[in-house]
């Protein structure tokens, strides 16, 4: 029965949360994930606890993945959406190797980190000691923190500049840089410098990290403009906004805090599904109901709609689920 | 020599599994999974010691990340209490230890586990100890 | 009155939660202490969003939450019972509810002393400023062309909501009164919905931003206003400006009812849940959310509460062997989910600890703590643990 079926596209935290909520509301949910395993980006991140939890939200991804494995949600990995026909309450979705009758579709295809190679002056791809925050996360998750003494984080790479069509703050990169930095201090006794424009450290969940960061990290306002390879690592050139003047300083490891851009499939999916994207390239949500797309019967969840952290993406996925459930009940009773 | 880790299902079990996949988990350290580290009482730990385990690790979630809010803190208090008792009884309290972990913190837990194994095998000359 | 969900607080998150629950077919009552719904959206228009946008949002929310029983002037009183059957007192009403969603937000209070100042007529909190700007009776004309300064990160350091409010209000002041607008704070917050764009708009309108380098600005009262010294550069010379009106950030306190919500500590795993099963938390009470965030959060909490009500039967986890119980209250005190209470067992003809099955989550904390060994955890009994010990543990 189409109206009891829901297709969730993308198995990151937002997609998993939406699927689990819908399953708990007795819908028949199929989760279509293009990768080989569900979980999205967040299951590859590292815990950032120092002597206590810093509330990065990464355990939530693990909790959802466990819950998903034990749930009645039908998981199709290595699968993509190829076509969609029909109307709200009665869609026919073609996915790799199958056709599904569903009442609604939740799009949760997530984000892509800004392409670090887009800023050649910062040395990514040219210098081995310049890496992205995603690469650092991945490394910490599998091997623990790298043994570099002087570490610099460069904030706002690919964010906050309308000239790139990205005139927004990515919201998550300040928190993750501070937490990752604190982890390096605590576990690898590194000296960490964070170069920032404005530090986004709002909120209760940041309270501990904020306090520890102000004590344990060197925070410098002003973002480096170029990186040069030197014998002992990387030399960054930056304008020190607070102390004044252009300065140069050497580091063993430079981490680029690449911001959140729309996921790689966003534009193609928007065409396939007939839904709108906004000026920054994310799927466009309804004003005040950001979990609704421009097309009835198709819903949005998580960071494919705007930059969102893990906890916010989960909340957004649940909100989408509540709307789907309500709308499908209406379709059925109509 | 064999050692035992009581692991909570929510964090430590998942981290230990991942560490094992990465080949970072010490072979000697066996796992017993419980819903929460707060489930473990001193009798479980002494039970393990009397059954020939040379050391016992209790692993719960990080502070402020326990699914059951404070099971990890309760467990830590119990382990500390037991360590005092062991000391009074003339048993090496270093054989029992509490660690905190996250499902996303496999390398860190593996390191703590290897440290425990190394320390205990060093103390017992690698043979384990009859309790 | 009997409802499935009682929502406490009719601000944006409470209304959006109630509306979503109604759409899901749930019977809902909303308890609101004030005489009208809307929370900050109504009481301080222009605070959470530009005034016109805030008004539209409020109308939409009120219409959508309409089918719920909106009990305004009914502050939430005492709570008893447990999941599936909470009993709530609210003013002269008594309710039973299967689940409760707390959306009671935060209370804001101006505290001039935090800024080293005495209360004065030309000193306002952010929410006063919002009210005045929205009030057609208010004579703000004398501020035309004068200088208005906003001071952030003092009473409420690192509050996204208050920084967003200052941004909306600064733009409104600049537009409505053609006053000169200055912003003083430590870290400019732009990590909110559309906030970066608002910041650029403010800058393009000529709002001046002074980020301090660790030392907050100093204010002294003058005849008609204040003199401000700010240190935008570490160890540098101060900038000195005269202003006519100072708008200060405010202290924030959570509006929590006097209930036992279980151990109160930050926790990353709980999300919309409180430590007590069946009681959920949403909106600005839960996190530092902007308006968009509150709207999402309310609906998300609705999904969580709805799923909770469907799964209420749950499985039996902890069980007390009543005759063995010594009534020492250890379990009652320790249970993080407040699932243990002393109750009468008719079969055993005595009082003993009893598990509220709908509240117990099976952590086993009580089992390990009971000195009388009177509690069993059906999902992980002692025998299982010892069997694993004998057989050399589990390898997976
Ligand atoms: C470097 C970095 C560090 C971060 N650190 C933190 C942090 O510490 N804390 C925090 O809260 N947030 C952090 N974030 C943000 C976090 O990654 C996001 O909040 C979260 O991943 C969003 O989840 P999502 O489900 O929306 O998207 P994703 O995690 O991107 O998941 C999307 C899923 O959809 C799948 N998919 C995509 N397209 C298709 C398609 N066409 N068909 C089928 N499946 C598809 C993908 O394979 C993926 O599994 C960080 C982000 C970055 C870049
Ligand atoms: S929330 Fe983050 S820091 Fe806290 S325990 Fe989980 S993974 Fe670690
Ligand atoms: S979160 Fe920080 S680093 Fe990321 S875009 Fe915003 S200000 Fe820049
Ligand atoms: S801890 Fe045990 S003995 Fe004490 S009240 Fe609870 S069940 Fe009874
Ligand atoms: S098992 Fe945990 S949740 Fe259940 S009654 Fe005991 S302490 Fe409470």
């Amino acid at each position: 029965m189409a109206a009891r079926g829901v297709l969730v596209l993308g198995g990151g935290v937002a997609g998993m949360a939406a699927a689990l909520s819908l399953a708990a509301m007795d819908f028949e949910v199929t989760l279509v994930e293009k990768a080989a395993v569900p979980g999205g980006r967040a299951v590859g991140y590292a815990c950032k606890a120092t002597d206590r939890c810093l509330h990065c939200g990464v355990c939530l991804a693990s909790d959802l993945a466990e819950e998903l494995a034990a749930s009645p949600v039908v998981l199709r990995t290595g699968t993509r959406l190829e076509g969609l026909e029909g109307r709200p309450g009665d869609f026919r979705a073609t996915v790799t190797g199958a056709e599904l009758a569903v009442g609604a579709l939740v799009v949760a295809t997530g984000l892509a980190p800004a392409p670090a190679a887009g800023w050649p002056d910062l040395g990514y791809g040219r210098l081995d000691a310049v890496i992205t925050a995603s690469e650092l996360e991945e490394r910490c998750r599998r091997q623990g923190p790298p043994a570099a003494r002087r570490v610099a984080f460069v904030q706002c790479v690919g964010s906050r500049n309308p000239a790139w069509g990205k005139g927004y703050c990515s919201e998550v990169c300040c928190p993750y840089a501070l937490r990752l930095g604190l982890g390096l201090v605590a576990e690898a006794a590194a000296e960490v410098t964070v170069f920032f424009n404005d530090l986004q450290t709002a909120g209760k969940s940041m309270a501990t990290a904020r306090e520890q960061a102000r004590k344990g990290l060197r925070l410098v306002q002003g973002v480096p403009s170029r990186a040069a390879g030197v014998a002992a690592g990387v030399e960054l050139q930056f304008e020190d906004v607070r102390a004044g003047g252009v300065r140069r300083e050497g580091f063993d490891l430079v981490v680029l805090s690449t911001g959140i851009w729309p996921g790689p499939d966003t534009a193609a999916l928007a065409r396939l599904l007939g839904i709108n994207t906004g000026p920054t390239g994310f799927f466009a949500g309804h004003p005040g109901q950001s979990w609704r797309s421009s097309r009835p019967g198709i819903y949005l969840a998580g960071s494919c709609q705007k930059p969102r952290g893990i906890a916010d993406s989960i909340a957004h996925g649940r909100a989408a689920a509540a709307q789907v459930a309500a709308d499908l009940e209406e379709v059925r009773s109509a | 020599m064999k050692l035992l880790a009581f692991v909570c299902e929510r964090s430590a079990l998942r981290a230990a599994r991942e560490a094992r996949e990465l080949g970072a988990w010490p072979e000697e350290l066996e796992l017993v999974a419980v819903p929460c580290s707060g489930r473990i009482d001193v009798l479980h730990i002494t039970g393990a010691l009397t059954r020939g385990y040379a050391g016992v690790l209790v692993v719960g979630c990080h502070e402020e990340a326990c699914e059951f809010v404070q099971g990890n803190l309760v467990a830590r208090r119990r382990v500390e209490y037991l360590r005092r008792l062991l000391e009074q009884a003339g048993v090496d309290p270093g054989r029992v230890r509490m660690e905190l972990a996250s499902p996303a913190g496999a390398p860190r837990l593996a390191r703590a586990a290897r440290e425990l194994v190394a320390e205990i095998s060093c103390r017992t000359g690698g043979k384990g100890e009859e309790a | 009155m009997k409802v499935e969900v009682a929502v406490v607080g009719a601000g944006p998150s409470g209304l959006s939660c109630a509306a979503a629950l109604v759409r899901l077919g749930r019977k809902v009552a909303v308890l609101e202490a004030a005489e009208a719904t809307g929370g900050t959206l109504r009481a301080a228009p222009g605070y959470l969003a530009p005034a016109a946008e805030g008004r539209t949002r409020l109308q939409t929310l009120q219409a959508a939450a309409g089918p719920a029983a909106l009990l305004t002037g009914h502050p939430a009183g005492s709570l008893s019972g447990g999941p599936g059957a909470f009993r709530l007192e609210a003013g002269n009403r008594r309710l039973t509810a299967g689940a409760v969603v707390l959306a009671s937000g935060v209370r804001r209070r101006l505290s001039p002393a935090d800024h080293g100042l005495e209360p004065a007529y030309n000193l306002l909190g952010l929410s006063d400023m919002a009210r005045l700007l929205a009030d057609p009776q208010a004579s703000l004309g004398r501020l035309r062309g004068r200088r208005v300064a906003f001071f952030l990160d003092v009473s409420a350091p690192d509050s996204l909501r208050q920084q967003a409010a200052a941004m909306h209000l600064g733009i409104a002041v600049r537009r409505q009164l053609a006053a000169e607008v200055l912003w003083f704070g430590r870290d400019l917050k732009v990590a909110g919905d559309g906030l970066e764009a608002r910041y650029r708009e403010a800058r393009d309108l000529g709002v001046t931003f002074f980020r301090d380098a660790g030392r907050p600005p100093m204010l002294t009262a003058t005849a008609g206003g204040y003199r401000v010294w700010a240190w935008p550069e570490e160890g540098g010379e101060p900038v000195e400006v005269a202003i006519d009106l100072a708008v200060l950030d405010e202290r924030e306190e959570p509006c929590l009812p006097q209930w036992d919500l279980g151990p109160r500590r930050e926790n990353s795993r709980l999300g919309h849940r409180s430590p007590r099963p069946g009681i959920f938390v949403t909106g600005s009470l839960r996190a530092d959310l902007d308006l968009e965030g509150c709207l999402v959060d309310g609906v998300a909490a609705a999904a969580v509460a709805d799923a909770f009500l469907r799964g209420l039967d749950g499985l039996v986890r902890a069980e007390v062997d009543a005759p063995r119980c010594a009534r020492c209250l250890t379990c009652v005190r320790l249970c993080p989910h407040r699932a243990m209470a002393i109750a009468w067992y008719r079969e055993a003809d005595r009082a003993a600890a009893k598990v509220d099955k709908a509240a117990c989550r099976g952590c086993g904390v009580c089992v390990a703590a009971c000195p009388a060994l009177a509690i069993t955890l059906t999902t992980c009994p002692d025998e299982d643990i010892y069997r694993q010990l004998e057989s050399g543990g589990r390898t997976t």
Side-chain angles (χ1 to χ4, degrees):
Chain A
M1 202 165 61
R4 291 304 310 164
V6 182
L7 175 64
V8 178
L9 193 58
V13 286
M16 290 192 289
L20 286 166
S21 273
L22 283 161
M25 295 190 251
D26 299 330
F27 287 88
E28 290 156 18
V29 188
T30 308
L31 181 61
V32 166
E33 165 60 55
K34 72 172 174 183
V37 283
R41 306 197 61 86
V43 288
Y45 297 159
C47 166
K48 292 153 193 106
T50 50
D51 53 339
R52 56 159 56 173
C53 164
L54 293 184
H55 306 292
C56 72
V58 169
C59 345
L60 300 176
S62 161
D63 289 352
L64 288 170
E66 291 270 316
E67 223 183 297
L68 185 73
S71 78
V73 172
V74 178
L75 177 63
R76 289 171 172 266
T77 51
T79 306
R80 286 166 180 273
L81 181 72
E82 284 161 3
L84 185 78
E85 278 169 40
R87 56 191 166 73
D90 189 16
F91 286 115
R92 277 175 316 287
T94 317
V95 299
T96 320
E99 187 157 299
L100 306 169
V102 293
L105 179 72
V106 179
V107 181
T109 48
L111 61 92
W119 291 266
D121 285 351
L122 292 176
Y124 184 77
R126 176 162 52 86
L127 306 171
D128 285 344
V130 178
I131 65 170
T132 64
S134 310
E135 287 160 355
L136 179 60
E137 285 261 13
E138 193 79 16
R139 209 178 141 161
C140 290
R141 169 76 182 232
R142 300 181 67 84
Q143 299 158 25
R149 195 172 59 83
R150 298 164 306 164
V151 182
F153 284 85
V154 178
Q155 297 306 104
C156 295
V157 178
S159 311
R160 299 196 66 190
N161 191 337
W164 309 324
K166 308 294 165 199
Y168 55 82
C169 163
S170 291
E171 304 193 13
V172 299
C173 14
C174 281
Y176 72 59
L178 296 184
R179 290 176 177 130
L180 277 168
L182 285 169
L184 297 183
V185 172
E187 289 200 51
E191 293 160 19
V192 176
T193 307
V194 180
F195 293 100
F196 66 95
N197 287 314
D198 295 291
L199 274 185
Q200 308 305 314
T201 54
K204 270 200 277 190
S205 67
M206 275 301 286
T208 315
R210 191 162 58 216
E211 210 175 287
Q212 292 187 2
R214 283 186 184 136
K215 282 192 220 123
L217 307 182
R218 179 169 154 242
L219 305 172
V220 177
Q221 196 183 6
V223 169
S225 51
R226 56 177 66 246
V230 290
V234 185
E235 187 179 74
L236 290 179
Q237 177 185 312
F238 61 99
E239 198 184 326
D240 192 327
V241 176
R242 285 189 174 161
V246 174
R247 295 182 28 201
R248 288 198 172 78
E249 208 176 307
F251 294 95
D252 304 318
L253 182 69
V254 172
V255 185
L256 304 182
S257 286
T258 40
I260 293 186
W261 284 20
D265 301 344
T266 309
L269 268 177
R271 276 192 302 277
L272 179 71
L273 296 172
I275 59 178
N276 295 341
T277 51
T280 50
F282 291 91
F283 292 119
H286 263 235
Q289 291 184 313
S290 53
W291 50 87
R292 292 182 109 130
S293 79
S294 54
R295 180 172 166 192
I298 300 184
Y299 303 80
L300 307 171
S303 62
C304 64
Q305 191 265 323
K306 90 181 225 330
R308 283 194 168 86
I310 294 166
D312 287 354
S313 295
I314 293 173
H316 203 238
R318 289 178 174 154
Q323 188 75 50
V324 170
D327 289 356
L328 284 183
E329 292 299 338
E330 211 164 277
V331 167
R332 276 205 307 169
S333 54
Chain B
M1 187 181 76
K2 56 176 189 167
L3 296 95
L4 187 83
F6 288 111
V7 288
C8 91
E9 283 170 354
R10 288 265 158 183
S11 293
L13 177 63
R14 296 183 215 162
R17 254 194 232 141
E18 187 171 317
R20 188 168 270 164
E21 276 163 28
L22 295 170
W25 192 255
E27 283 304 314
E28 306 87 333
L29 191 54
E30 289 163 6
L31 302 179
V32 169
V34 283
C36 171
S37 55
R39 171 74 184 89
I40 293 304
D41 72 34
V42 291
L43 294 178
H44 298 132
I45 304 175
T46 51
L49 293 177
T50 53
R51 281 170 177 77
Y53 288 94
V56 176
L57 189 61
V58 179
V59 199
C61 301
H62 282 296
E63 219 171 298
E64 305 193 346
C66 169
E67 169 73 17
F68 307 105
V69 193
Q70 53 184 13
N72 51 353
L73 305 183
V74 173
R76 193 160 64 186
R77 275 207 304 274
R78 279 191 200 127
V79 168
E80 266 150 31
Y81 167 71
L82 177 63
R83 281 164 62 112
R84 281 198 302 276
L85 286 188
L86 289 177
E87 193 159 18
Q88 282 164 14
V91 180
D92 177 8
R95 293 171 63 192
V96 178
R97 202 184 281 187
M98 175 91 193
E99 280 293 330
L100 303 179
S102 147
R108 183 168 165 171
L109 179 60
R111 201 176 59 199
R114 286 196 305 268
E115 268 170 28
L116 178 82
V117 172
E119 209 181 295
I120 289 184
S121 71
C122 177
R123 287 185 197 202
T124 61
K127 291 188 295 294
E129 193 177 311
E130 293 306 309
Chain C
M1 178 160 49
K2 195 169 173 204
V3 293
E4 290 171 287
V5 188
V7 178
V8 178
S13 47
L15 287 177
S16 97
C17 181
L21 286 163
V22 165
R23 282 197 300 263
L24 286 168
R26 294 289 179 187
K27 189 160 186 253
V28 184
V30 183
L31 306 179
E32 168 58 54
E35 293 301 326
T37 62
T40 308
L41 272 180
R42 182 187 51 81
Y47 185 101
L48 291 176
E53 187 193 324
R55 264 192 297 275
T56 340
R57 288 277 173 281
L58 179 55
Q59 276 162 10
T60 318
L61 282 172
Q62 280 169 333
L70 298 172
L71 306 176
T72 51
H74 283 78
S78 66
L79 175 103
S80 55
F86 287 109
R87 289 183 299 280
L88 247 168
E89 278 178 31
N92 54 358
R93 305 290 285 261
R94 269 166 219 279
L95 274 83
T96 49
V100 179
V101 181
L102 279 177
S104 41
V106 293
R107 214 174 275 119
R108 304 192 179 86
R109 188 166 57 80
L110 177 62
S111 174
D114 296 347
H115 296 254
L117 297 169
E118 301 280 325
Y121 74 95
N122 49 12
L123 197 78
L124 298 176
L126 285 165
S127 31
D128 305 321
M129 189 74 224
R131 269 189 288 277
L132 280 181
L133 278 170
D135 183 357
Q137 312 290 313
S139 53
L140 287 169
R142 61 195 169 74
L143 282 177
R144 194 159 286 282
R146 296 300 190 83
R147 248 193 218 140
V148 178
F150 289 81
F151 296 89
L152 280 302
D153 287 333
V154 178
S155 289
D158 300 293
S159 161
L160 172 68
R161 225 170 5 237
Q162 299 209 21
Q163 291 225 358
M167 207 69 80
H168 302 313
L169 296 170
I171 290 172
V173 168
R174 186 87 192 108
R175 287 234 157 95
Q176 286 179 29
L177 306 170
E180 203 179 312
V181 176
L182 307 162
W183 181 102
F184 296 89
R186 186 178 48 206
D187 289 307
L188 181 78
K189 300 288 191 287
V190 287
D193 187 47
L195 202 52
E196 174 85 40
R198 299 289 288 162
Y199 161 59
R200 284 173 199 284
E201 182 183 349
R203 236 180 31 186
D204 294 345
L205 282 169
V207 175
T208 319
F209 289 85
F210 288 97
R211 299 165 174 86
D212 69 59
R215 180 170 176 182
M218 201 175 84
L219 284 92
T220 50
T222 57
Y226 295 91
R227 189 156 289 281
V228 186
W229 285 271
W231 288 265
E233 277 172 25
E234 231 164 318
E237 287 297 302
V239 179
E240 192 187 327
V241 260
I243 58 165
D244 301 293
L245 178 72
V247 186
L248 309 181
D249 67 348
E250 296 157 315
R251 292 201 168 195
E252 277 187 1
E253 282 160 34
C255 289
L256 277 171
Q258 303 286 314
W259 308 337
D260 176 10
L261 287 173
R264 288 218 4 229
R265 32 176 53 245
E266 221 24 57
N267 191 307
S268 345
R269 295 308 249 299
L270 289 181
H272 295 93
R273 295 172 294 162
S274 79
R276 277 188 74 174
I279 304 183
F280 302 92
V281 199
T282 186
S284 49
L285 188 62
R286 185 175 86 84
D288 187 17
L289 298 171
D290 57 7
L291 178 56
E292 208 270 339
C294 283
L295 299 179
V296 172
D297 213 54
V299 182
V304 178
D306 185 84
F308 176 81
L309 289 173
R310 286 167 193 264
L312 251 182
D313 328 323
L315 59 157
V316 185
R317 293 176 172 115
E319 270 173 357
V320 180
D321 180 8
R324 287 182 87 153
C325 169
R327 294 183 290 233
C328 67
L329 297 177
T330 304
C331 56
V332 178
R333 194 166 42 78
L334 267 185
C335 172
H337 306 298
R338 303 296 185 253
M340 279 285 190
I342 303 290
W344 190 260
Y345 283 75
R346 204 175 309 145
E347 332 72 275
D349 195 27
R350 76 191 292 258
K354 191 164 203 166
V355 186
D356 180 342
K357 284 174 193 159
C360 171
R361 302 206 46 240
C363 63
V365 166
C366 59
V367 186
C370 173
L373 304 180
I375 317 175
T376 325
L377 194 63
T378 56
T379 44
C380 175
D382 270 336
E383 302 83 78
D384 268 17
I385 297 182
Y386 288 113
R387 198 173 314 121
Q388 287 190 60
L389 278 182
E390 302 286 352
S391 67
R394 219 160 80 173
T395 37
T396 44

